[in-house]
Amino acid sequence: MMWHAAGSESKVAPQVLKTILLILKGKPGEMEDYVMERRRLSIDSTNMMPVAASQALCTLLPVASYKKAVAELFPELLMALMLQLFYSSHMSMVVNDGLFYARDALQVLLNCSGLQEVEVALKKRNCWNQFSHELFHHHGIYLVAKTLGDYNFPQFPETLHYLYKLSVEGPKRSEDSVITVIFLTELLNNFFKDPFPEEFLVLFRNWVNDSNPTVSKLSLQKIASMAPVINQIDNVSSFLLAILDSFLSKDKTVVIRALLTLRRLLGKLDKVTYSSLCIRIASSYCPLMDHGNGGIRSMAVRHFGELLKDMSHYRWMLNHVVLGGLVPLILFLEDTETRVVRACKSTLAICASELKWPMSCLFDDQNYSFELVVLNICNNLLISHKDYITELIADTLGFLSSSRAYLRRASVILIGYLAALGGHLLLKDEIDVMLEAIERVVRDEDPVIRKLAEITQMLFRRVARNLTPTNMKQSFQKLFRFIYIPKVKPLYNYNWPSNLTGSPTGTKEIKNDKEGLTYENYEDYLQD
């Protein structure tokens, strides 16, 4: 009776509806808190005013005296009820649809706004029932937006303007952002067959790093679908940088979507822009090679290799990039997941090609040996890029304390060969740091790692004994590094292949030394 009485006064219709819209900004089911006012109700209760406001709209919207005000406030009413539908679908107190006034009010809004065909179509698509199931409420939001677009609803311009306003204003609940993104994306898909206006593209760029993972994934997915368009705008770099920032997300599904979206954009990107960002992009892949999720590790490794192939004409820029990613690419050859190992082999073969290292056949399954790959890479490093050996040793030291046994095992072998081949390039302080790090690994719980670490420790100690901290010695070493290339035999006998005939390094010398090092033969080895 109260709402019918309010509906008889047309002059107050805008104020009544605006007041109801303010109430509909609340979330039903939330506890009312009056901390700021230092008072509380005698009995704590949940906020049911938005439910009452939705119920009031069921009465007020069809009233003839409210028709003009409803038309003016259509976008606000539409989105407020969509949000209330979303909230209501999560309320545990909903029983027998008794509190689904938001759904009823939305149906009334469509019917009294000349959108009866839309309401009938939504019924046929079983849209209203989907809102009562949490798994499908996002699809329900999509259906409403799509159906409005299919019927070319006349309120589109003002609705689009209001959605843009919602998108740039804040702060708001994260679930509100999800609904806004879904609704806006579908309306744009329906009404802009040509590229979106650039101001809307900026919204999707900003949403890439939203605090809500669902919003991030929705925006990344939309950006990927518009790759040819986005690559033509002036500030395409800002999109690429926003995607790189999302690599840091704690949500693995966001990271995966970001990797796929970036790869989609890079495939269409002009080479000038690509080359200006390739070093930044490559350096963003490297941390993901050590991600806790195997799918992300393998994808980052493969995409790193794809980048090297894309930029093959800019080889002079990429040597540092290749060498910067070399340590994780080598260590994750020992990964427990086959997809990561395959990705590392493929990308290392690309790296070897870029660096002109004749070792691609070492990655064939028939000849493959982790230690053999490490030995060949280190030999090639010493010949062509010896200045990077100290940097690679520093990168490898970080993996000695990994919680994953295969990384500790692989890093012990890699750092051993780097020291064996580049020991004459190191200073005493550097060896002391390496000795301190390996001493912790010698006490590892894994017996295989302990055995490998003991060999590496012996090697470090011998190298340390041959070094002194004097300025003369250091100066001599700097000169010595340019005129001396040591010769290293196999150190560890770690998973050697049974047949080395097809390998470029499958020489008689390596075959004869396959027994590896032991305490007994170590001194003889060093003297050789």
Side-chain angles (χ1 to χ4, degrees):
M1 291 175 63
M2 180 182 69
W3 294 124
H4 277 293
S8 64
E9 296 288 338
S10 60
K11 62 182 180 180
V12 300
Q15 289 82 1
V16 171
L17 290 180
K18 287 179 180 178
T19 302
I20 289 176
L21 282 170
L22 286 174
I23 296 170
L24 288 176
K25 290 184 178 180
K27 183 176 180 179
E30 283 185 334
M31 297 297 294
E32 292 284 6
D33 191 356
Y34 296 92
V35 174
M36 296 300 293
E37 300 178 20
R38 299 294 181 186
R39 63 186 177 86
R40 297 188 67 83
L41 296 175
S42 58
I43 300 177
D44 285 340
S45 60
T46 54
N47 178 18
M48 298 305 294
M49 287 184 68
V51 177
S54 299
Q55 184 184 19
L57 288 178
C58 294
T59 302
L60 292 174
L61 291 176
V63 176
S65 57
Y66 273 59
K67 185 174 182 179
K68 180 179 179 182
V70 170
E72 291 176 350
L73 295 172
F74 176 84
E76 291 91 332
L77 290 166
L78 174 67
M79 294 310 299
L81 290 172
M82 293 296 294
L83 291 172
Q84 289 302 317
L85 260 174
F86 178 82
Y87 298 147
S88 299
S89 67
H90 287 76
M91 289 174 63
S92 59
M93 62 192 75
V94 174
V95 180
N96 297 324
D97 293 346
L99 297 178
F100 264 81
Y101 294 117
R103 179 193 60 194
D104 299 338
L106 183 55
Q107 290 175 306
V108 172
L109 175 66
L110 294 174
N111 281 312
C112 70
S113 301
L115 301 173
Q116 295 88 346
E117 289 182 329
V118 173
E119 201 274 326
V120 171
L122 289 171
K123 280 183 180 177
K124 290 181 179 179
R125 295 175 178 180
N126 199 32
C127 173
W128 306 121
N129 290 331
Q130 293 197 42
F131 280 105
S132 60
H133 302 287
E134 185 175 348
L135 290 176
F136 300 102
H137 59 250
H138 283 168
H139 186 63
I141 302 292
Y142 158 80
L143 277 179
V144 173
K146 179 168 178 32
T147 308
L148 284 168
D150 289 344
Y151 284 87
N152 294 313
F153 73 118
Q155 298 91 341
F156 168 71
E158 54 264 41
T159 302
L160 187 64
H161 180 268
Y162 179 67
L163 283 168
Y164 182 81
K165 180 183 176 183
L166 279 180
S167 301
V168 297
E169 289 178 350
K172 49 183 173 288
R173 297 182 184 91
S174 60
E175 54 260 54
D176 294 9
S177 298
V178 174
I179 294 169
T180 302
V181 172
I182 294 173
F183 214 88
L184 178 62
T185 301
E186 191 50 41
L187 288 185
L188 291 170
N189 286 340
N190 271 279
F191 287 92
F192 289 96
K193 303 305 179 186
D194 292 326
F196 288 0
E198 191 162 331
E199 56 267 29
F200 288 103
L201 291 178
V202 172
L203 291 178
F204 286 95
R205 182 198 64 195
N206 295 340
W207 280 327
V208 164
N209 291 293
D210 193 90
S211 58
N212 188 314
T214 302
V215 173
S216 297
K217 286 184 285 186
L218 287 169
S219 60
L220 287 165
Q221 185 174 356
K222 189 58 190 173
I223 289 171
S225 70
M226 296 188 295
V229 174
I230 289 176
N231 285 331
Q232 294 175 8
I233 66 176
D234 293 335
N235 62 339
V236 62
S237 296
S238 66
F239 281 83
L240 298 172
L241 294 175
I243 295 170
L244 292 180
D245 289 340
S246 67
F247 283 2
L248 303 174
S249 174
K250 295 181 180 178
D251 189 295
K252 64 181 181 182
T253 58
V254 172
V255 178
I256 291 171
R257 176 54 61 185
L259 283 164
L260 293 172
T261 299
L262 179 63
R263 192 63 221 155
R264 185 79 174 269
L265 290 178
L266 294 180
K268 309 277 185 184
L269 192 62
D270 69 273
K271 295 301 181 184
V272 175
T273 305
Y274 199 161
S275 63
S276 68
L277 293 171
C278 70
I279 294 177
R280 169 72 186 274
I281 295 170
S283 63
S284 297
Y285 284 137
C286 290
L288 295 184
M289 295 179 191
D290 189 23
H291 197 278
N293 179 269
I296 292 175
R297 292 199 300 277
S298 63
M299 198 177 297
V301 169
R302 287 195 180 277
H303 288 187
F304 184 80
E306 292 294 324
L307 180 144
L308 298 181
K309 287 197 294 186
D310 292 344
M311 293 285 101
S312 59
H313 295 299
Y314 298 84
R315 185 176 287 116
W316 57 273
M317 294 174 54
L318 292 177
N319 279 354
H320 181 72
V321 174
V322 171
L323 293 163
L326 207 54
V327 168
L329 289 175
I330 295 170
L331 298 184
F332 282 97
L333 285 170
E334 289 290 279
D335 201 299
T336 54
E337 296 200 32
T338 304
R339 56 183 170 175
V340 179
V341 175
R342 289 175 178 169
C344 286
K345 288 181 179 180
S346 173
T347 298
L348 276 172
I350 296 171
C351 292
S353 174
E354 293 298 321
L355 296 169
K356 304 297 184 182
W357 292 350
M359 55 178 297
S360 59
C361 63
L362 286 175
F363 302 111
D364 296 339
D365 291 338
Q366 182 180 358
N367 297 317
Y368 176 73
S369 162
F370 175 73
E371 186 174 0
L372 188 59
V373 169
V374 171
L375 175 58
N376 277 267
I377 288 176
C378 291
N379 274 318
N380 281 293
L381 277 169
L382 195 63
I383 294 170
S384 60
H385 296 88
K386 53 179 166 287
D387 289 340
Y388 282 91
I389 286 182
T390 303
E391 184 178 330
L392 294 176
I393 287 174
D395 291 345
T396 310
L397 283 173
F399 288 93
L400 286 176
S401 58
S402 173
S403 60
R404 286 170 274 186
Y406 67 85
L407 284 178
R408 299 197 302 276
R409 184 172 61 244
S411 59
V412 166
I413 294 173
L414 175 58
I415 203 168
Y417 275 108
L418 287 171
L421 285 160
H424 61 289
L425 305 176
L426 300 172
L427 303 178
K428 189 174 186 305
D429 290 343
E430 295 167 336
I431 290 293
D432 289 342
V433 172
M434 295 162 63
L435 271 169
E436 183 181 348
I438 204 67
E439 282 173 3
R440 292 192 294 268
V441 188
V442 170
R443 300 187 295 272
D444 198 277
E445 59 185 16
D446 188 310
V448 175
I449 295 175
R450 287 201 303 270
K451 181 179 178 182
L452 297 171
E454 287 168 359
I455 296 174
T456 302
Q457 185 183 47
M458 288 188 294
L459 189 149
F460 286 175
R461 287 174 177 172
R462 181 56 182 261
V463 173
R465 286 198 296 269
N466 292 333
L467 298 177
T468 63
T470 64
N471 291 333
M472 182 179 295
K473 176 70 173 182
Q474 293 181 16
S475 299
F476 177 71
Q477 284 177 231
K478 290 179 182 178
L479 175 64
F480 193 54
R481 70 178 63 184
F482 294 105
I483 61 176
Y484 175 71
I485 297 178
K487 182 178 181 182
V488 173
K489 300 176 184 179
L491 297 173
Y492 299 97
N493 188 26
Y494 175 73
N495 292 347
W496 283 89
S498 58
N499 179 18
L500 290 174
T501 305
S503 170
T505 55
T507 62
K508 179 180 179 181
E509 182 180 358
I510 290 181
K511 291 179 183 178
N512 291 339
D513 286 311
K514 278 176 57 180
E515 70 272 11
L517 290 185
T518 65
Y519 283 107
E520 291 74 18
N521 67 13
Y522 182 73
E523 291 297 328
D524 293 337
Y525 165 82
L526 288 176
Q527 290 172 7
D528 289 342

